[in-house]
Amino acid sequence: MTDRFSIFSVLSQAFAGQKGWKPMWREPAPKAEYDAVIIGGGGHGLATAYYLAKEHGLTNIAVIEKGWIGSGNVGRNTTIVRSNYLLPGNIPFYEHSLKLWEGLEQDINYNAMVSQRGVLNLFHNDGQRDAAIRRGNALMLHGIEMELLDRAAVQAKLPFLDYDDARFPIQGGLLQKRGGTVRHDAVAWGYARAADKRGVDILQNCEVTGIRIENGRVLGVDTVKGFIGAKKVAMAVAGNSGRVAAMAGLRLPIESHVLTAFVSEGLKPVLDCVVTFGAGHFYISQSDKGGLVFGANLDGYNSYSQRGNLPTIEEACEEGMAMLPLLGRLRMLRHWGGIMDMSKDGSPIIDKTPVAGLYLNAGWCIGGFKATPASGWCFAHLIARDEPHPFAAAYRLDRFETGDLLDETGGGPDAVVH
Ligand SMILES: Cc1cc2nc3c(=O)[nH]c(=O)nc-3n(C[C@H](O)[C@H](O)[C@H](O)COP(=O)(O)OP(=O)(O)OC[C@H]3O[C@@H](n4cnc5c(N)ncnc54)[C@H](O)[C@@H]3O)c2cc1C
C-alpha cells in the first residue's frame, strides 16, 4: 500500500489498477480526551489542525465535523485566491496566505490545482480608477506586485468582454498576476490527509451539540458520539459560528447569509484569468474542465440554508451578461449555496473568547477560502501559544466594542472585490 504521491507511485498504480492506494485518512473512534479539539472540518479547521501538528508539535488533537469533510463552504466556493487587500491590518495576513498557497502542494504532497492565472478587478469610471491606483500603490508599498491595465490592455487579454455597447464601459483593470484559483475540495482533502498523517484524528459525522464549561474554563464538547474532553476547544465553523458560540453562552457580532455560486456547461477557453465586474458584484473564472464558474452578491436575508433563491440567480446573470454577453448563450449546469459568517466590518475574528481555553475563528464573510492557509497558520499559533500571531493581530473580537474596525469596503468607490 502506498500513501505518497510521486511520479513513480502514480505510474505504478496506473499499471496496478489503482488498487494499492491507502485511504486518505483514518476513521478513528473518538478518544476520551484530547489536548485540543477543533470544531468544524472545513478548510480553516483542517488547516489549523495541520499547522498545530506541523509547526507546534501538537498531535493529540481532533477535528470534529458534523457532516463529511468538504461538505461546508470549503467545497462550495468559487475558488478565487488573491492578496490584493487595501488595509494594513489585512495585507500581511492575505499575502502570507498567498505565499502558503504557492508552496502548499509540495508541503502537503497533494495536487490542489493551484493556478496563478491572475485576478483582474475591472473599473468603469474615474473614481474607481483612482481607487484602483491607490490600492495598487498600497500593495506595492508592501512589496506586492500589481499592474494597472488600460482599456486596450484589458481588451487584448480578455477579448470577449463587452467593450463597444456596454451599459458600464470598461476603462481598465487592476491585475494581481499571482492571484488565481485553487481546487476547493482538494484543499479540504489535502489538509485532512496531511493532518491525519501527523496523527490528528478526523471525526466525521460527529456533530457538536454542547460545549461544557466549569468555573469559566472549557472542559470539552458534547457530541452525537458522546462527550469528548479537551484542554482547549477551537471553533472554526464558518456559517454556523453563531449557533456553536451560543453553546458557550456567547453572542457574536456575526450574521449568517446564503451565498450562491454557479457553473455553466464546458466551453473552449474564453477567460484566462479571474475577472471581477466593477459596476456591480460579480466574479467569474473558467475551470480547468471548461465550465464558467461565477457568483454575485449575498441573498439579502439571514438563513442557515445551503441553497439560494431565484432573485439572486437573476441578478447574477444580469450582471454577468452586462460584462460578458456570451454568458447568455450558455446552459447553466448547477447552482448551489453556502452559509456565510458575515461580520459587521467584513473582516474576520481570530481570537480567544471570554471562556478560558475556548478560541474563535469566524467572520470570513464571502472571502474566507483564500485565507485558509494563513487562517490555519495564525489560529494554530494562537491555540498553541495563547497569543495572537502578528499577521492576525487586528482580528480581535473586542474591536466591535472599541470601534477599531477593519472595513475594506469603506476604502473607496469599489464595488466589493471578491
Ligand atoms: C458560493 C460561495 C462562493 C465563495 N467564493 C469564494 C471565493 O471565490 N474566494 C474566497 O476566498 N472565498 C469564497 N467563499 C468563502 C469561503 O468559502 C468561506 O469563507 C470559507 O470556506 C469558510 O471557512 P471553512 O472552509 O472552514 O468553512 P466550512 O467548509 O463551512 O467549514 C465549517 C464546518 O463546520 C462544520 N460544523 C458546523 N457546525 C458544526 C457542529 N455543531 N459540529 C461540528 N461541525 C460543525 C460544518 O459542517 C462545516 O463543514 C465562498 C463561499 C461560498 C458559499
Side-chain angles (χ1 to χ4, degrees), residues 16-17 27 34 98 101 126 142 169 194 286 307 314 317 358:
E27 290 284 350
Y34 291 92
L98 196 49
W101 284 123
D126 293 348
H142 280 82
Q286 188 161 19
R307 61 166 60 176
E314 194 177 355
C317 294
L358 182 66

Side-chain angles (χ1 to χ4, degrees), residues 159-170 321-325:
F160 297 106
L161 306 188
D162 192 353
Y163 298 91
D164 301 325
D165 194 20
R167 166 80 176 79
F168 303 100
I170 295 167
M321 284 180 62
M323 184 181 89
L324 181 69

Side-chain angles (χ1 to χ4, degrees), residues 39-45 64-68 71-81 206-209 236-240 244 247 259-261 283 336-341 364-372 418:
I39 312 174
H44 292 232
I64 307 182
E65 166 55 44
K66 77 170 172 184
W68 65 94
S71 57
N73 295 334
V74 68
R76 293 168 180 268
N77 60 72
T78 41
T79 77
I80 301 167
V81 303
C206 186
E207 181 168 2
V208 170
T209 53
V237 291
N240 281 287
V244 173
M247 296 175 193
L259 180 69
T260 309
Y283 37 94
W336 61 91
I339 316 166
M340 315 315 313
D341 37 334
W364 293 100
C365 300
I366 58 172
F369 177 65
K370 68 179 79 66
T372 304
H418 199 62

Side-chain angles (χ1 to χ4, degrees), residues 117-118 120 149 152-160 163 175 177 270-273:
R117 59 185 68 182
L120 180 66
L149 304 188
V154 174
Q155 191 160 9
K157 190 170 176 54
L158 297 169
F160 297 106
Y163 298 91
L175 175 67
K177 283 188 183 155
V270 290
L271 291 175
D272 77 344
C273 67

Side-chain angles (χ1 to χ4, degrees), residues 19-299:
K19 296 212 174 85
W21 297 109
K22 271 191 185 164
M24 300 257 283
W25 52 82
R26 298 162 296 129
E27 290 284 350
K31 292 185 197 163
E33 193 180 30
Y34 291 92
D35 291 335
V37 297
I38 298 151
I39 312 174
H44 292 232
L46 293 164
T48 304
Y50 173 65
Y51 293 121
L52 268 175
K54 179 174 176 239
E55 300 297 324
H56 304 279
L58 225 73
T59 52
N60 183 29
I61 56 180
V63 175
I64 307 182
E65 166 55 44
K66 77 170 172 184
W68 65 94
I69 293 304
S71 57
N73 295 334
V74 68
R76 293 168 180 268
N77 60 72
T78 41
T79 77
I80 301 167
V81 303
R82 60 180 175 88
S83 68
N84 56 357
Y85 279 67
L86 175 68
L87 301 179
N90 279 330
I91 294 175
F93 174 84
Y94 285 99
E95 177 58 13
H96 182 55
S97 215
L98 196 49
K99 286 188 178 143
L100 288 172
W101 284 123
E102 285 169 338
L104 182 75
E105 292 166 307
Q106 296 300 322
D107 185 23
I108 61 175
N109 179 236
Y110 199 81
N111 180 9
M113 297 168 72
V114 176
S115 165
Q116 292 184 287
R117 59 185 68 182
V119 172
L120 180 66
N121 301 137
L122 298 178
F123 50 81
H124 308 263
N125 57 48
D126 293 348
Q128 285 191 331
R129 190 192 53 224
D130 290 351
I133 293 170
R134 179 173 166 231
R135 179 184 293 269
N137 284 339
L139 286 154
M140 288 197 291
L141 287 171
H142 280 82
I144 299 167
E145 193 193 327
M146 298 297 293
E147 209 176 308
L148 193 77
L149 304 188
D150 62 13
R151 180 188 146 104
V154 174
Q155 191 160 9
K157 190 170 176 54
L158 297 169
F160 297 106
L161 306 188
D162 192 353
Y163 298 91
D164 301 325
D165 194 20
R167 166 80 176 79
F168 303 100
I170 295 167
Q171 284 196 6
L174 184 66
L175 175 67
Q176 181 174 34
K177 283 188 183 155
R178 287 168 54 239
T181 58
V182 182
R183 172 79 208 185
H184 49 12
D185 36 21
V187 172
W189 301 329
Y191 270 125
R193 171 176 171 272
D196 173 89
K197 278 176 95 141
R198 289 181 179 267
V200 174
D201 281 358
I202 293 169
L203 310 175
Q204 298 185 86
N205 301 309
C206 186
E207 181 168 2
V208 170
T209 53
I211 298 179
R212 276 201 214 172
I213 297 165
E214 205 175 84
N215 298 327
R217 166 158 282 285
V218 78
L219 297 180
V221 292
D222 290 303
T223 76
V224 292
K225 295 186 180 172
F227 176 72
I228 301 176
K231 295 185 186 73
K232 297 185 172 185
V233 173
M235 298 179 280
V237 291
N240 281 287
S241 296
R243 282 173 161 173
V244 173
M247 296 175 193
L250 303 175
R251 187 150 186 259
L252 300 182
I254 284 180
E255 285 183 12
S256 291
H257 285 254
V258 191
L259 180 69
T260 309
F262 307 80
V263 65
S264 76
E265 62 184 327
L267 65 163
K268 288 185 177 171
V270 290
L271 291 175
D272 77 344
C273 67
V274 178
V275 200
T276 72
F277 183 46
H281 188 182
F282 179 84
Y283 37 94
I284 187 163
S285 66
Q286 188 161 19
S287 80
D288 294 330
K289 280 196 285 187
L292 298 184
V293 179
F294 59 93
N297 216 337
L298 294 170
D299 283 20

